[in-house]
Amino acid sequence: MRTIDVCVSPELMHLYTVSDRTVVVVDILRATSCMTTAFAHGIASITPFAKMEDCLAMKDKGYFTAGERDGKKVDGFDFGNSPFEYMDEKLKGQKIAFTTTNGTQAIAKSAGAREIIIGSFLNLTAVTNYLANGTDNILVVCAGWKGKVNLEDTLFAGAVVELLKDQVQPECDAPVAARQLYNQAKHDLVDYLKDSSHVRRLAKLNIFKDIQYCLTLDQYGVVPVLKEGKLVSYQP
Amino acid sequence: MRTIDVCVSPELMHLYTVSDRTVVVVDILRATSCMTTAFAHGIASITPFAKMEDCLAMKDKGYFTAGERDGKKVDGFDFGNSPFEYMDEKLKGQKIAFTTTNGTQAIAKSAGAREIIIGSFLNLTAVTNYLANGTDNILVVCAGWKGKVNLEDTLFAGAVVELLKDQVQPECDAPVAARQLYNQAKHDLVDYLKDSSHVRRLAKLNIFKDIQYCLTLDQYGVVPVLKEGKLVSYQP
């Protein structure tokens, strides 16, 4: 039987071999929710950058620049880290260079994986269908918050474990724990997360609408896949 | 209000400042359960060693040597890693040099903390009473399994968060998640853990009796405290 594991922090990535795995990177609040939304609205590609300077430099090459540091939009960037910004008509067919505090770092640390895809609650079923049709073992990489565990990414990992439970078995305790948490939380994710540190952090920034949106299941059928350093929408 | 955080793996210790904290090290299966049992049966001190060779060398200095690698007793050591071995009369008043796969590594990584104590389900209430009477912020360090998260240590951390909830507030998401898991599991820890990877690993070694014992609450009132590199029993 295929296996699934969950890396609860990018700082633990050295413990996992990824060369033969499909890696799902998740940063619910808000990087991978933004990416999912952008692809659902017709963006051509998103190039993730771990470093802000590298991202900004892409402006001269015809890219829109986007992202945040510590939850706030970066000066000089075209777009921030709210999924609602990525519903913009003018982004259709365009390229974005993207950097965030945690999400793009998690993608960078997953380098070397056989395949990297992007997950969020917004495309949960599309992601699990994609994984169910694959043959690799799976690793869900939670972006966390500056290396520490966060609840919303762990819950997403648990949702993937739960939805694939008949086809894929947990490799270790992290997927078991994540699944237990998701099953406890799934009836009301927003309520369950109200005490999480990131939700409290974002609430201070007045973006409750973003939080609610990022915790909504299955709005889109897109699966962003990393191809030659760029995220593109998976085409069957 | 004082705060509590949970480090789910020793590999994340670089993210935490411990110089002003009381650190509780936990390795339920089975290092800290053994240590608790040994102090409850009159051992004078336990000196933890991260390296096996350093531990073995203490034999010439009048110490008993004890511990395991990968769940198995080490050749040439006097004692292994089953709590039942530490109920031995001949250990009364003696000194032990101790090394294990995960537990003693977690103690080593906690170096520099204002105070380090040892927790297990066997002395849960004694530990939380000790913490309740303190003034420091708290960090529970889970030994995990070779750097990965494990369920039993996370559950213990959650138990500490739960029992101190009126006095100490979570600093981050890890204590929130651990507490949720503990509240889900507390009515039958043995049953809840039957799918955990470590329990399956130990079950292969035929030590179900050990597992059951290590998941028993409040057998002892001792609190092992690290003083000048040695664990001794806390004396009020």
Side-chain angles (χ1 to χ4, degrees), chain B residues 53-182:
Chain B
E53 313 78 75
D54 298 345
C55 188
L56 198 54
M58 298 304 284
K59 217 164 182 168
D60 300 335
K61 296 179 182 172
Y63 285 69
F64 283 111
T65 53
E68 51 77 41
R69 278 299 178 274
D70 295 327
K72 284 165 220 136
K73 185 170 160 181
V74 180
D75 281 347
F77 275 28
D78 302 307
F79 297 90
N81 201 27
S82 166
F84 294 103
E85 296 184 58
Y86 296 88
M87 297 171 184
D88 195 326
E89 269 295 310
K90 77 170 179 225
L91 280 171
K92 209 161 191 168
Q94 299 297 313
K95 297 175 292 183
I96 301 181
F98 204 99
T99 187
T100 71
T101 313
N102 306 293
T104 50
Q105 325 290 326
I107 296 173
K109 290 231 182 184
S110 304
R114 219 195 51 74
E115 188 173 38
I116 297 174
I117 70 172
I118 294 298
S120 67
F121 285 113
L122 298 168
N123 68 342
L124 172 63
T125 298
V127 162
T128 52
N129 285 344
Y130 181 90
L131 294 170
N133 290 328
T135 53
D136 290 349
N137 291 335
I138 300 160
L139 180 68
V140 183
V141 177
C142 299
W145 180 261
K146 296 187 178 178
K148 296 190 182 178
V149 174
N150 81 27
L151 208 42
E152 64 275 13
D153 296 342
T154 306
L155 288 177
F156 173 84
V160 174
V161 178
E162 171 65 19
L163 291 173
L164 295 174
K165 65 175 186 285
D166 296 329
Q167 291 132 289
V168 185
Q169 77 182 3
E171 220 167 282
C172 200
D173 279 4
V176 175
R179 185 182 164 204
Q180 298 279 18
L181 288 168
Y182 175 70

Side-chain angles (χ1 to χ4, degrees), chain A residues 151-166:
Chain A
L151 208 42
E152 63 276 13
D153 296 342
T154 307
L155 288 177
F156 172 84
V160 174
V161 178
E162 171 65 20
L163 292 173
L164 295 174
K165 65 175 186 285
D166 296 330

Side-chain angles (χ1 to χ4, degrees), chain A residues 11 14 147 151 173 196-197, chain B residues 11 14-15 151 173 180 196-197:
Chain A
E11 304 270 325
H14 59 287
L151 208 42
D173 278 4
S196 89
S197 52
Chain B
E11 303 271 326
H14 59 286
L15 302 171
L151 208 42
D173 279 4
Q180 298 279 18
S196 88
S197 52

Side-chain angles (χ1 to χ4, degrees), chain A residues 190-207:
Chain A
V190 176
D191 184 65
Y192 194 87
L193 281 166
K194 68 180 189 303
D195 291 332
S196 89
S197 52
H198 202 126
V199 166
R200 281 186 279 133
R201 196 177 299 119
L202 289 179
K204 280 187 205 149
L205 301 171
N206 255 327
I207 44 179

Side-chain angles (χ1 to χ4, degrees), chain A residues 79-97:
Chain A
F79 296 90
N81 200 28
S82 165
F84 294 102
E85 296 184 59
Y86 296 89
M87 297 171 184
D88 194 326
E89 269 293 312
K90 77 169 178 228
L91 279 171
K92 210 162 190 168
Q94 298 298 312
K95 296 175 291 185
I96 300 181

Side-chain angles (χ1 to χ4, degrees), chain A residues 173-189:
Chain A
D173 278 4
V176 174
R179 184 181 165 206
Q180 296 279 18
L181 288 167
Y182 175 69
N183 281 330
Q184 208 175 35
K186 65 184 173 190
H187 305 292
D188 191 345
L189 290 173

